Amino acid sequence: MTKNMIQDAVTERFSERQEVIPHEVINPSILYYGTPVLLLSTLNEDGSTNVSPLSSSWALGDCLVLGVGTQGKAYDNLSRHPECVINLPDASMWRQVEALGRTTGSTPVPEEKRQMGYTFCQDKFTASGLTRQYSVQVTPDKIAECPLQIEAVVQYIRIPEHTPFMSIVEVKAVKVHAHTHLISGLNKINPEEWHPLIYNFRHYYGLGERRGENFRAGKGRNELNCPNSK
């Protein structure tokens, strides 16, 4: 049986269960296919805290990887002071996040950002209506309204040759804080109570209904993989 015959047979069996929707090749300008929004706290030169909205991140164990633009204040701050807080807003906080959308802590404003309508903002907390909260193990402030806060230390920053306008920042979580209503047991988060804000092709969404769970979910359910979580 040839490869095409096998593929046709698989497609036929699939089509017996449900309609096969055709695909079309496209070239989208963005690939924000639906990831959690975070507000990144970093330390300014004067000791104040800058807050930057990000939508590019992933986590494994106590390691997190962030995608940070090289023209923004967050990149400058992390390069100079390798500490941060990853503040995770819930779905109700999209307006506070969007209030920071056209702001930058960089002055003068980089020309490319200026042309897109960005303006300099020294106090991101006032601009967004969010509340400063002292961190425990790092210097940048946390954001009180964010249900999950992850204090972290930078391990490595890399600028890929193929995409020099962005950096890949690896950080290690050193302290995790959770709103008490999210906690269902020792070091456990209740997924029924946690509703992250999702950035979906430049639109804000919450989560839909639960569809199922991973085979590992029942054992050590939803543990925060950080030994110093609090």
Side-chain angles (χ1 to χ4, degrees):
M1 183 178 288
T2 67
K3 181 178 179 180
N4 287 340
M5 292 173 64
I6 294 174
Q7 184 175 353
D8 290 342
V10 171
T11 301
E12 183 177 353
R13 287 198 297 271
F14 182 78
S15 62
E16 290 175 357
R17 297 194 300 271
Q18 66 183 70
E19 179 186 358
V20 178
I21 301 174
H23 290 77
E24 182 178 330
V25 175
I26 63 173
N27 187 28
S29 61
I30 55 172
L31 289 173
Y32 299 128
Y33 47 77
T35 52
V37 173
L38 66 91
L39 294 173
L40 186 68
S41 298
T42 58
L43 193 70
N44 293 322
E45 293 88 343
D46 61 1
S48 63
T49 294
N50 183 65
V51 179
S52 304
L54 299 182
S55 63
S56 300
S57 71
W58 60 267
L60 185 62
D62 61 0
C63 175
L64 296 94
V65 178
L66 312 174
V68 180
T70 56
Q71 289 192 331
K73 189 62 176 176
Y75 173 76
D76 291 341
N77 285 348
L78 290 172
S79 299
R80 177 180 42 79
H81 184 91
E83 293 182 336
C84 63
V85 182
I86 297 152
N87 303 277
L88 294 162
D90 65 23
S92 70
M93 297 177 62
W94 74 269
R95 288 182 177 84
Q96 289 98 319
V97 172
E98 182 60 18
L100 298 175
R102 288 184 179 271
T103 66
T104 177
S106 297
T107 181
V109 177
E111 180 59 24
E112 183 176 344
K113 285 197 166 189
R114 188 190 66 79
Q115 292 179 5
M116 291 189 288
Y118 281 78
T119 59
F120 170 69
C121 180
Q122 174 65 34
D123 186 353
K124 301 283 190 73
F125 286 94
T126 299
S128 60
L130 297 171
T131 308
R132 293 178 179 84
Q133 193 175 55
Y134 287 124
S135 297
V136 173
Q137 206 161 323
V138 300
T139 307
D141 292 329
K142 302 180 290 153
I143 299 174
E145 290 82 0
C146 288
L148 289 175
Q149 309 157 327
I150 305 171
E151 299 183 35
V153 177
V154 174
Q155 303 297 303
Y156 186 65
I157 299 177
R158 179 173 70 89
I159 299 177
E161 293 182 4
H162 55 78
T163 315
F165 58 83
M166 63 160 286
S167 64
I168 299 171
V169 182
E170 300 175 20
V171 304
K172 179 181 177 64
V174 295
K175 190 74 69 175
V176 178
H177 310 262
H179 280 180
T180 54
H181 76 276
L182 297 181
I183 302 173
S184 61
L186 181 63
N187 292 330
K188 295 180 181 179
I189 293 295
N190 182 354
E192 297 293 333
E193 295 294 332
W194 170 229
H195 307 289
L197 178 62
I198 303 297
Y199 198 54
N200 181 2
F201 287 95
R202 292 201 172 118
H203 295 262
Y204 297 106
Y205 284 83
L207 294 181
E209 64 181 18
R210 177 180 177 273
R211 296 301 181 92
E213 66 182 32
N214 179 263
F215 74 97
R216 298 179 63 186
K219 181 178 288 187
R221 192 183 195 93
N222 303 302
E223 291 186 4
L224 292 172
N225 295 319
C226 177
N228 298 316
S229 61
K230 179 180 178 181

